[in-house]
């Protein structure tokens, strides 16, 4: 018998705290009311590694990749590393036999250190410096996505051997009202527009460079897309473009990369992109478009990032203060904020928050979970329900923080960045250690010349 058997009402409380569409696959509530992930109580992680801390469910991360491979079997899966990347995480993706896309020297190094075959690496970026292109070609990455005219010249000069490339095309599909961010329209910084022949002009320039092998076309429509028909529309437009290239230049492109941007749920009831529906849309639309253009079916590539790493992550915070303003909101202030949780302020993103250290018995109230930084907009979540007896020392868990949190973390107010803790089958592993004040000052030339430890400074030594 357990406490839940003696007090059945707690079973309902436990169930409502961990909506499986939001929390990691292994998230549970134990008999003491503690949230657990990967069979590890989050309170134990907070005690051992401190707060804030990023917690990453390895089983969830790997399972999402396997779901893609099972449910979208006719597409090659390339993990979008910008969502979350360390050498360890890269090794998980490599072991699951998917590709990876990177967009900086650091991401390239992490992918290679994680054991990725360079031929399975795709290099992205709208303003790649020559040094990055030089490193990518030296590493022999499988694809470089050309995003601007100057990159054609840079690559033609830098690559010591034939280099396969994709051209990023903007198909002018406006997804406002369907998604959080739109990148597939003409008036933005990415890619070559189909309008006015810009994309074709780029193709002509590439074909004049013998060291560049044009393998196919790439597009990215935006983020948090839940409607698979938008990808179907992109397929129709891009197959027509590829057919035009064959007709005008005698080149049959054999790769169509549809990018990522697949929607996931941050809160209960949020719209998501269903993989079976995406797969059916890709299969049916590709068949129809290729028949209509008499074009051979290209290899389809998709690049999920958030949809693989997002749900795997949970961020832990310790409550520092609780206060209610007269006639206003109740603020639950925690020991982190926009430096480790930037998306609320950047995008107005909304998150699920739960008490992690005990059963939330009794009434709840609507609160704003506020951060520690000197910014009025430093909020982790607004209008979320927490117990009325929430107090300093309580542990809060924020769901769905595996994507674009560690990767976008900053040192605003010179606050150190949290560790990343991997959990799997009851074991916890420190993937990234917590940053220290010494780390923050290590690049300061004056600090290097008269280096003393932070503890020594505090004690006047």
């Amino acid at each position: 018998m357990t406490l839940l058997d003696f007090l059945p009402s707690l079973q309902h409380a436990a169930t409502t705290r961990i909506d499986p569409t939001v929390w990691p696959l292994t998230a549970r509530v134990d008999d003491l009311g503690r949230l657990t992930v990967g069979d590890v109580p989050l309170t134990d992680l907070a005690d051992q590694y401190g707060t804030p801390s990023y917690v990453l469910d390895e089983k969830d991360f790997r399972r999402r990749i396997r779901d893609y491979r099972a449910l979208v079997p006719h597409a090659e899966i390339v993990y979008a590393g910008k969502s979350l990347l360390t050498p360890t995480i890269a090794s998980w993706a490599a072991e699951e036999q998917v590709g990876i896309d990177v967009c900086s020297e650091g991401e390239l190094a992490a992918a290679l250190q994680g054991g990725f075959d360079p031929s399975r690496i795709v290099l992205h970026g709208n303003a790649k410096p020559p040094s990055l292109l030089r490193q990518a070609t030296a590493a022999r990455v499988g694809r470089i996505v050309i995003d601007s005219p100057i990159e054609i010249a840079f690559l033609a000069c830098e690559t010591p051997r034939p280099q396969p490339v994709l051209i990023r095309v903007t198909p002018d599909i406006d997804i406002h009202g369907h998604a959080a961010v739109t990148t597939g329209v003409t008036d933005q910084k990415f890619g070559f527009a189909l309008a006015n022949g810009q994309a074709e002009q780029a193709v002509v320039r590439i074909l004049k460079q013998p060291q560049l092998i044009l393998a196919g076309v790439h597009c990215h429509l935006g983020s948090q897309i839940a409607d698979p028909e938008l990808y179907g529309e992109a397929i129709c437009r891009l197959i027509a473009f590829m057919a035009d290239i064959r007709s005008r230049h005698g080149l049959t492109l054999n790769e169509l990369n549809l990018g990522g941007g697949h929607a996931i749920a941050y809160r209960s009831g949020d719209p998501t992109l269903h993989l079976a529906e995406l797969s059916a849309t890709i299969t049916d639309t590709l068949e129809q478009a290729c028949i209509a253009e008499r074009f051979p079916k290209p290899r389809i590539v998709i690049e999920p990032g958030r949809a693989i790493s997002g749900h795997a992550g949970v961020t832990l915070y310790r409550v520092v203060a609780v206060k209610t303003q007269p006639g206003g909101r109740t603020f639950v202030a925690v020991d982190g904020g926009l430096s480790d949780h930037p998306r609320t302020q950047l995008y107005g993103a909304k998150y699920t928050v739960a008490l992690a250290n005990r059963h939330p018995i009794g009434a709840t109230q609507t609160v704003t979970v506020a951060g520690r930084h000197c910014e009025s907009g430093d909020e982790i979540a607004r209008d979320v329900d927490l117990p009325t007896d929430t107090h300093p020392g309580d542990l809060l868990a924020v769901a769905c923080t595996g994507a674009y949190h560690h990767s976008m973390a900053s040192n605003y107010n010179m606050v150190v960045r949290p560790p990343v803790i991997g959990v799997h089958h009851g074991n916890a592993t420190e993937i990234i250690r917590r940053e220290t004040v010494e780390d923050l000052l290590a690049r300061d030339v004056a600090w290097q010349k008269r280096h003393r430890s932070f503890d020594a400074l505090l004690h006047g030594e």
Side-chain angles (χ1 to χ4, degrees), residues 288-341:
Q288 296 167 13
C290 288
I291 290 174
E293 299 291 343
R294 294 184 172 87
F295 193 83
K297 288 183 184 179
R299 180 166 61 105
I300 296 295
V301 181
I302 56 176
E303 297 176 335
R306 180 198 322 258
I308 290 173
S309 65
H311 284 300
V314 172
T315 305
L316 304 182
Y317 297 102
R318 192 72 70 180
V319 175
V320 175
V322 180
K323 58 184 177 182
T324 300
Q325 301 294 12
R329 287 179 284 161
T330 294
F331 292 89
V332 176
V334 298
D335 54 359
L338 67 87
S339 62
D340 57 74
H341 184 99

CSV table of all heavy atoms in Angstrom, one decimal, residues 288-341:
chain,number,residue,atom,x,y,z
A,288,GLN,N,1.5,13.6,-56.2
A,288,GLN,CA,0.7,14.4,-57.2
A,288,GLN,C,1.5,15.5,-57.9
A,288,GLN,O,1.4,15.7,-59.1
A,288,GLN,CB,-0.5,15.1,-56.4
A,288,GLN,CG,-1.5,14.1,-55.8
A,288,GLN,CD,-2.4,14.8,-54.8
A,288,GLN,OE1,-2.5,16.0,-54.7
A,288,GLN,NE2,-3.1,14.0,-54.0
A,289,ALA,N,2.4,16.1,-57.1
A,289,ALA,CA,3.2,17.2,-57.7
A,289,ALA,C,4.2,16.7,-58.7
A,289,ALA,O,4.4,17.3,-59.8
A,289,ALA,CB,4.0,17.9,-56.6
A,290,CYS,N,4.8,15.5,-58.4
A,290,CYS,CA,5.7,14.9,-59.4
A,290,CYS,C,5.0,14.4,-60.6
A,290,CYS,O,5.6,14.5,-61.8
A,290,CYS,CB,6.5,13.8,-58.7
A,290,CYS,SG,7.7,14.4,-57.5
A,291,ILE,N,3.8,13.9,-60.5
A,291,ILE,CA,3.1,13.5,-61.7
A,291,ILE,C,2.7,14.7,-62.5
A,291,ILE,O,2.9,14.7,-63.8
A,291,ILE,CB,1.8,12.7,-61.2
A,291,ILE,CG1,2.2,11.3,-60.7
A,291,ILE,CG2,0.8,12.5,-62.4
A,291,ILE,CD1,1.0,10.6,-60.1
A,292,ALA,N,2.3,15.7,-61.9
A,292,ALA,CA,1.9,16.9,-62.6
A,292,ALA,C,3.0,17.5,-63.4
A,292,ALA,O,2.9,18.1,-64.5
A,292,ALA,CB,1.3,18.0,-61.6
A,293,GLU,N,4.2,17.5,-62.8
A,293,GLU,CA,5.4,18.1,-63.5
A,293,GLU,C,6.2,17.1,-64.2
A,293,GLU,O,7.3,17.4,-64.8
A,293,GLU,CB,6.3,18.8,-62.4
A,293,GLU,CG,5.6,19.9,-61.6
A,293,GLU,CD,5.4,21.1,-62.5
A,293,GLU,OE1,6.0,21.2,-63.6
A,293,GLU,OE2,4.6,22.0,-62.0
A,294,ARG,N,5.8,15.8,-64.2
A,294,ARG,CA,6.6,14.7,-64.8
A,294,ARG,C,8.0,14.8,-64.3
A,294,ARG,O,9.0,14.7,-65.1
A,294,ARG,CB,6.6,14.8,-66.4
A,294,ARG,CG,5.2,14.6,-67.0
A,294,ARG,CD,5.3,14.6,-68.5
A,294,ARG,NE,4.0,14.2,-69.1
A,294,ARG,CZ,3.0,15.0,-69.3
A,294,ARG,NH1,3.1,16.3,-69.0
A,294,ARG,NH2,1.9,14.6,-69.9
A,295,PHE,N,8.1,14.8,-63.0
A,295,PHE,CA,9.4,15.0,-62.4
A,295,PHE,C,9.7,13.8,-61.4
A,295,PHE,O,8.8,13.4,-60.7
A,295,PHE,CB,9.5,16.3,-61.5
A,295,PHE,CG,10.8,16.7,-61.1
A,295,PHE,CD1,11.7,17.4,-61.9
A,295,PHE,CD2,11.3,16.4,-59.8
A,295,PHE,CE1,13.0,17.7,-61.5
A,295,PHE,CE2,12.5,16.7,-59.4
A,295,PHE,CZ,13.4,17.4,-60.2
A,296,PRO,N,10.9,13.2,-61.5
A,296,PRO,CA,11.1,12.0,-60.6
A,296,PRO,C,11.1,12.4,-59.1
A,296,PRO,O,11.6,13.5,-58.8
A,296,PRO,CB,12.5,11.6,-61.0
A,296,PRO,CG,13.1,12.7,-61.7
A,296,PRO,CD,12.0,13.5,-62.3
A,297,LYS,N,10.6,11.5,-58.3
A,297,LYS,CA,10.5,11.9,-56.9
A,297,LYS,C,11.9,12.1,-56.3
A,297,LYS,O,12.8,11.2,-56.4
A,297,LYS,CB,9.8,10.7,-56.1
A,297,LYS,CG,8.4,10.6,-56.4
A,297,LYS,CD,7.8,9.5,-55.5
A,297,LYS,CE,6.3,9.3,-55.8
A,297,LYS,NZ,5.8,8.2,-55.0
A,298,PRO,N,12.1,13.3,-55.6
A,298,PRO,CA,13.4,13.5,-55.0
A,298,PRO,C,13.4,12.9,-53.6
A,298,PRO,O,12.4,12.5,-53.0
A,298,PRO,CB,13.4,15.0,-54.9
A,298,PRO,CG,12.0,15.4,-54.7
A,298,PRO,CD,11.2,14.4,-55.6
A,299,ARG,N,14.6,12.8,-53.0
A,299,ARG,CA,14.7,12.4,-51.6
A,299,ARG,C,14.2,13.5,-50.7
A,299,ARG,O,14.6,14.6,-50.9
A,299,ARG,CB,16.2,12.1,-51.3
A,299,ARG,CG,16.5,11.6,-49.9
A,299,ARG,CD,17.9,11.0,-49.9
A,299,ARG,NE,18.9,12.0,-50.2
A,299,ARG,CZ,19.7,12.6,-49.3
A,299,ARG,NH1,19.6,12.3,-48.1
A,299,ARG,NH2,20.6,13.5,-49.7
A,300,ILE,N,13.4,13.1,-49.8
A,300,ILE,CA,12.8,14.1,-48.8
A,300,ILE,C,13.6,14.1,-47.6
A,300,ILE,O,13.9,13.1,-47.0
A,300,ILE,CB,11.3,13.8,-48.6
A,300,ILE,CG1,10.5,13.9,-49.8
A,300,ILE,CG2,10.8,14.8,-47.5
A,300,ILE,CD1,10.4,15.3,-50.4
A,301,VAL,N,13.9,15.3,-47.1
A,301,VAL,CA,14.6,15.5,-45.8
A,301,VAL,C,13.8,16.4,-44.9
A,301,VAL,O,13.3,17.4,-45.4
A,301,VAL,CB,16.0,16.1,-46.0
A,301,VAL,CG1,16.8,16.3,-44.7
A,301,VAL,CG2,16.9,15.2,-47.0
A,302,ILE,N,13.7,16.1,-43.6
A,302,ILE,CA,13.1,17.0,-42.7
A,302,ILE,C,14.0,17.3,-41.5
A,302,ILE,O,14.9,16.4,-41.2
A,302,ILE,CB,11.7,16.6,-42.2
A,302,ILE,CG1,11.8,15.2,-41.6
A,302,ILE,CG2,10.7,16.5,-43.3
A,302,ILE,CD1,10.5,14.7,-41.0
A,303,GLU,N,13.9,18.4,-40.9
A,303,GLU,CA,14.9,18.8,-39.9
A,303,GLU,C,14.2,19.2,-38.6
A,303,GLU,O,14.2,20.4,-38.2
A,303,GLU,CB,15.7,20.0,-40.4
A,303,GLU,CG,16.5,19.7,-41.6
A,303,GLU,CD,17.3,20.9,-42.2
A,303,GLU,OE1,16.8,22.1,-41.9
A,303,GLU,OE2,18.3,20.7,-42.8
A,304,PRO,N,13.6,18.3,-37.8
A,304,PRO,CA,13.0,18.6,-36.5
A,304,PRO,C,14.1,18.9,-35.5
A,304,PRO,O,15.1,18.2,-35.4
A,304,PRO,CB,12.2,17.4,-36.2
A,304,PRO,CG,13.0,16.3,-36.9
A,304,PRO,CD,13.5,16.9,-38.2
A,305,GLY,N,13.9,19.9,-34.7
A,305,GLY,CA,14.8,20.2,-33.6
A,305,GLY,C,14.0,20.3,-32.3
A,305,GLY,O,14.1,19.4,-31.4
A,306,ARG,N,13.2,21.3,-32.1
A,306,ARG,CA,12.3,21.5,-31.0
A,306,ARG,C,11.5,20.2,-30.7
A,306,ARG,O,11.2,19.8,-29.6
A,306,ARG,CB,11.4,22.7,-31.2
A,306,ARG,CG,10.5,23.0,-30.1
A,306,ARG,CD,9.3,23.9,-30.5
A,306,ARG,NE,9.8,24.9,-31.5
A,306,ARG,CZ,10.0,26.2,-31.2
A,306,ARG,NH1,9.8,26.6,-30.0
A,306,ARG,NH2,10.4,27.0,-32.2
A,307,ALA,N,11.0,19.6,-31.8
A,307,ALA,CA,10.1,18.4,-31.7
A,307,ALA,C,10.8,17.2,-31.2
A,307,ALA,O,10.2,16.2,-30.7
A,307,ALA,CB,9.4,18.1,-33.0
A,308,ILE,N,12.1,17.2,-31.2
A,308,ILE,CA,12.9,16.1,-30.6
A,308,ILE,C,13.4,16.5,-29.2
A,308,ILE,O,13.3,15.7,-28.2
A,308,ILE,CB,14.1,15.8,-31.5
A,308,ILE,CG1,13.6,15.1,-32.8
A,308,ILE,CG2,15.1,14.9,-30.8
A,308,ILE,CD1,14.7,14.9,-33.8
A,309,SER,N,13.9,17.7,-29.0
A,309,SER,CA,14.5,18.0,-27.7
A,309,SER,C,13.6,18.7,-26.7
A,309,SER,O,13.8,18.7,-25.5
A,309,SER,CB,15.7,18.9,-27.9
A,309,SER,OG,15.4,20.2,-28.5
A,310,GLY,N,12.5,19.4,-27.2
A,310,GLY,CA,11.7,20.2,-26.4
A,310,GLY,C,11.1,19.6,-25.2
A,310,GLY,O,11.3,20.0,-24.0
A,311,HIS,N,10.3,18.5,-25.4
A,311,HIS,CA,9.7,17.8,-24.3
A,311,HIS,C,10.6,17.1,-23.4
A,311,HIS,O,10.2,16.8,-22.2
A,311,HIS,CB,8.6,16.8,-24.8
A,311,HIS,CG,7.4,17.5,-25.3
A,311,HIS,ND1,6.6,18.3,-24.5
A,311,HIS,CD2,6.8,17.5,-26.6
A,311,HIS,CE1,5.5,18.7,-25.2
A,311,HIS,NE2,5.6,18.3,-26.5
A,312,ALA,N,11.8,16.8,-23.8
A,312,ALA,CA,12.8,16.1,-23.0
A,312,ALA,C,13.3,17.0,-21.8
A,312,ALA,O,13.8,16.4,-20.8
A,312,ALA,CB,13.9,15.6,-23.8
A,313,GLY,N,13.2,18.3,-21.9
A,313,GLY,CA,13.8,19.2,-21.0
A,313,GLY,C,12.8,19.7,-19.9
A,313,GLY,O,11.6,20.0,-20.2
A,314,VAL,N,13.3,19.8,-18.7
A,314,VAL,CA,12.6,20.4,-17.6
A,314,VAL,C,13.6,21.3,-16.9
A,314,VAL,O,14.8,21.0,-16.7
A,314,VAL,CB,12.1,19.4,-16.6
A,314,VAL,CG1,11.5,20.0,-15.3
A,314,VAL,CG2,11.0,18.5,-17.2
A,315,THR,N,13.2,22.5,-16.5
A,315,THR,CA,14.0,23.4,-15.7
A,315,THR,C,13.6,23.5,-14.3
A,315,THR,O,12.4,23.7,-14.0
A,315,THR,CB,14.1,24.8,-16.3
A,315,THR,OG1,14.4,24.7,-17.7
A,315,THR,CG2,15.1,25.7,-15.6
A,316,LEU,N,14.5,23.4,-13.3
A,316,LEU,CA,14.2,23.5,-11.9
A,316,LEU,C,14.6,24.8,-11.3
A,316,LEU,O,15.7,25.3,-11.6
A,316,LEU,CB,15.0,22.4,-11.2
A,316,LEU,CG,14.8,20.9,-11.7
A,316,LEU,CD1,15.6,20.0,-10.8
A,316,LEU,CD2,13.3,20.6,-11.7
A,317,TYR,N,13.7,25.4,-10.5
A,317,TYR,CA,13.9,26.6,-9.9
A,317,TYR,C,13.6,26.5,-8.4
A,317,TYR,O,12.6,25.8,-8.0
A,317,TYR,CB,13.1,27.8,-10.5
A,317,TYR,CG,13.4,28.1,-11.9
A,317,TYR,CD1,12.6,27.7,-12.9
A,317,TYR,CD2,14.5,28.9,-12.2
A,317,TYR,CE1,12.8,28.0,-14.2
A,317,TYR,CE2,14.8,29.2,-13.6
A,317,TYR,CZ,13.9,28.7,-14.6
A,317,TYR,OH,14.2,29.0,-15.9
A,318,ARG,N,14.3,27.2,-7.5
A,318,ARG,CA,13.9,27.3,-6.1
A,318,ARG,C,13.2,28.7,-5.9
A,318,ARG,O,13.6,29.7,-6.4
A,318,ARG,CB,15.2,27.3,-5.3
A,318,ARG,CG,14.9,27.1,-3.8
A,318,ARG,CD,14.5,25.7,-3.5
A,318,ARG,NE,15.6,24.8,-3.6
A,318,ARG,CZ,15.4,23.5,-3.4
A,318,ARG,NH1,14.2,23.0,-3.0
A,318,ARG,NH2,16.4,22.6,-3.5
A,319,VAL,N,12.0,28.6,-5.2
A,319,VAL,CA,11.3,29.8,-4.9
A,319,VAL,C,12.1,30.6,-3.9
A,319,VAL,O,12.5,30.1,-2.9
A,319,VAL,CB,9.9,29.5,-4.3
A,319,VAL,CG1,9.2,30.7,-3.9
A,319,VAL,CG2,9.1,28.7,-5.4
A,320,VAL,N,12.3,31.9,-4.2
A,320,VAL,CA,13.0,32.8,-3.3
A,320,VAL,C,12.1,33.7,-2.5
A,320,VAL,O,12.3,34.0,-1.4
A,320,VAL,CB,14.0,33.7,-4.2
A,320,VAL,CG1,14.7,34.7,-3.3
A,320,VAL,CG2,15.0,32.8,-4.9
A,321,ALA,N,11.0,34.2,-3.2
A,321,ALA,CA,10.1,35.1,-2.5
A,321,ALA,C,8.7,35.0,-3.1
A,321,ALA,O,8.6,34.6,-4.2
A,321,ALA,CB,10.6,36.5,-2.6
A,322,VAL,N,7.7,35.3,-2.3
A,322,VAL,CA,6.3,35.4,-2.7
A,322,VAL,C,5.7,36.7,-2.2
A,322,VAL,O,5.8,37.0,-1.0
A,322,VAL,CB,5.5,34.2,-2.2
A,322,VAL,CG1,4.0,34.3,-2.7
A,322,VAL,CG2,6.1,32.8,-2.6
A,323,LYS,N,5.1,37.4,-3.1
A,323,LYS,CA,4.5,38.7,-2.6
A,323,LYS,C,3.3,39.0,-3.5
A,323,LYS,O,3.3,38.7,-4.7
A,323,LYS,CB,5.5,39.8,-2.6
A,323,LYS,CG,6.1,40.2,-3.9
A,323,LYS,CD,7.2,41.3,-3.7
A,323,LYS,CE,7.9,41.6,-5.0
A,323,LYS,NZ,8.9,42.7,-4.7
A,324,THR,N,2.3,39.6,-2.9
A,324,THR,CA,1.1,40.0,-3.6
A,324,THR,C,1.0,41.5,-3.5
A,324,THR,O,1.0,42.1,-2.5
A,324,THR,CB,-0.2,39.4,-3.0
A,324,THR,OG1,-0.1,38.0,-3.0
A,324,THR,CG2,-1.4,39.8,-3.7
A,325,GLN,N,0.9,42.1,-4.7
A,325,GLN,CA,0.7,43.6,-4.7
A,325,GLN,C,-0.7,44.0,-4.5
A,325,GLN,O,-1.6,43.3,-4.9
A,325,GLN,CB,1.2,44.1,-6.1
A,325,GLN,CG,2.6,43.8,-6.5
A,325,GLN,CD,3.6,44.5,-5.6
A,325,GLN,OE1,3.3,45.0,-4.6
A,325,GLN,NE2,4.9,44.4,-6.0
A,326,PRO,N,-0.9,45.1,-3.7
A,326,PRO,CA,-2.3,45.5,-3.4
A,326,PRO,C,-3.2,45.7,-4.7
A,326,PRO,O,-2.8,46.5,-5.6
A,326,PRO,CB,-2.1,46.8,-2.7
A,326,PRO,CG,-0.7,46.8,-2.1
A,326,PRO,CD,0.1,46.0,-3.1
A,327,GLY,N,-4.2,44.9,-4.8
A,327,GLY,CA,-5.1,45.0,-5.9
A,327,GLY,C,-4.5,44.5,-7.2
A,327,GLY,O,-5.0,44.7,-8.3
A,328,GLY,N,-3.3,43.8,-7.1
A,328,GLY,CA,-2.6,43.3,-8.3
A,328,GLY,C,-2.3,41.8,-8.2
A,328,GLY,O,-3.0,41.1,-7.6
A,329,ARG,N,-1.3,41.5,-8.9
A,329,ARG,CA,-0.9,40.1,-9.0
A,329,ARG,C,-0.1,39.5,-7.9
A,329,ARG,O,0.5,40.3,-7.1
A,329,ARG,CB,-0.1,39.8,-10.3
A,329,ARG,CG,-0.9,39.9,-11.6
A,329,ARG,CD,-0.1,39.7,-12.8
A,329,ARG,NE,0.7,40.9,-13.1
A,329,ARG,CZ,1.8,41.0,-13.9
A,329,ARG,NH1,2.3,39.8,-14.4
A,329,ARG,NH2,2.5,42.1,-14.1
A,330,THR,N,-0.1,38.2,-7.7
A,330,THR,CA,0.8,37.5,-6.8
A,330,THR,C,2.0,37.1,-7.6
A,330,THR,O,1.9,36.4,-8.6
A,330,THR,CB,0.1,36.3,-6.1
A,330,THR,OG1,-0.9,36.8,-5.3
A,330,THR,CG2,1.1,35.6,-5.3
A,331,PHE,N,3.2,37.4,-7.1
A,331,PHE,CA,4.4,37.1,-7.8
A,331,PHE,C,5.2,36.0,-7.0
A,331,PHE,O,5.4,36.2,-5.8
A,331,PHE,CB,5.3,38.3,-8.0
A,331,PHE,CG,4.8,39.3,-8.9
A,331,PHE,CD1,4.0,40.4,-8.5
A,331,PHE,CD2,5.1,39.3,-10.3
A,331,PHE,CE1,3.5,41.3,-9.3
A,331,PHE,CE2,4.6,40.2,-11.2
A,331,PHE,CZ,3.8,41.2,-10.7
A,332,VAL,N,5.5,34.9,-7.7
A,332,VAL,CA,6.4,33.9,-7.1
A,332,VAL,C,7.7,34.1,-7.8
A,332,VAL,O,7.9,33.8,-8.9
A,332,VAL,CB,5.8,32.5,-7.3
A,332,VAL,CG1,6.8,31.5,-6.8
A,332,VAL,CG2,4.4,32.4,-6.7
A,333,ALA,N,8.7,34.6,-7.0
A,333,ALA,CA,10.0,34.9,-7.6
A,333,ALA,C,11.0,33.8,-7.4
A,333,ALA,O,11.0,33.2,-6.3
A,333,ALA,CB,10.6,36.2,-7.0
A,334,VAL,N,11.7,33.4,-8.4
A,334,VAL,CA,12.6,32.3,-8.3
A,334,VAL,C,14.0,32.7,-8.6
A,334,VAL,O,14.3,33.9,-9.0
A,334,VAL,CB,12.2,31.2,-9.3
A,334,VAL,CG1,10.8,30.7,-9.0
A,334,VAL,CG2,12.2,31.7,-10.8
A,335,ASP,N,15.0,31.7,-8.5
A,335,ASP,CA,16.4,32.1,-8.6
A,335,ASP,C,17.0,32.0,-10.0
A,335,ASP,O,18.2,31.9,-10.2
A,335,ASP,CB,17.2,31.1,-7.6
A,335,ASP,CG,16.9,29.7,-7.9
A,335,ASP,OD1,16.1,29.3,-8.8
A,335,ASP,OD2,17.5,28.8,-7.2
A,336,GLY,N,16.1,32.0,-11.0
A,336,GLY,CA,16.6,32.1,-12.4
A,336,GLY,C,15.8,33.2,-13.1
A,336,GLY,O,15.1,34.0,-12.4
A,337,GLY,N,15.8,33.1,-14.4
A,337,GLY,CA,15.0,34.1,-15.1
A,337,GLY,C,15.4,34.2,-16.6
A,337,GLY,O,15.8,33.2,-17.2
A,338,LEU,N,15.3,35.4,-17.2
A,338,LEU,CA,15.5,35.5,-18.6
A,338,LEU,C,16.9,35.0,-19.1
A,338,LEU,O,17.1,34.7,-20.3
A,338,LEU,CB,15.2,36.9,-19.1
A,338,LEU,CG,16.1,38.1,-18.7
A,338,LEU,CD1,17.3,38.2,-19.6
A,338,LEU,CD2,15.3,39.3,-18.6
A,339,SER,N,17.9,35.0,-18.2
A,339,SER,CA,19.2,34.5,-18.7
A,339,SER,C,19.2,33.0,-19.0
A,339,SER,O,20.0,32.6,-19.8
A,339,SER,CB,20.3,34.9,-17.6
A,339,SER,OG,20.0,34.2,-16.4
A,340,ASP,N,18.4,32.3,-18.3
A,340,ASP,CA,18.3,30.9,-18.6
A,340,ASP,C,16.9,30.5,-19.2
A,340,ASP,O,16.7,29.3,-19.7
A,340,ASP,CB,18.5,30.0,-17.3
A,340,ASP,CG,17.5,30.4,-16.2
A,340,ASP,OD1,16.3,30.0,-16.3
A,340,ASP,OD2,17.9,31.1,-15.3
A,341,HIS,N,16.0,31.4,-19.3
A,341,HIS,CA,14.6,31.1,-19.8
A,341,HIS,C,14.2,32.3,-20.6
A,341,HIS,O,13.4,33.1,-20.2
A,341,HIS,CB,13.7,30.9,-18.6
A,341,HIS,CG,12.3,30.5,-19.0
A,341,HIS,ND1,11.8,29.3,-19.0
A,341,HIS,CD2,11.3,31.3,-19.5
A,341,HIS,CE1,10.5,29.2,-19.4
A,341,HIS,NE2,10.2,30.5,-19.7
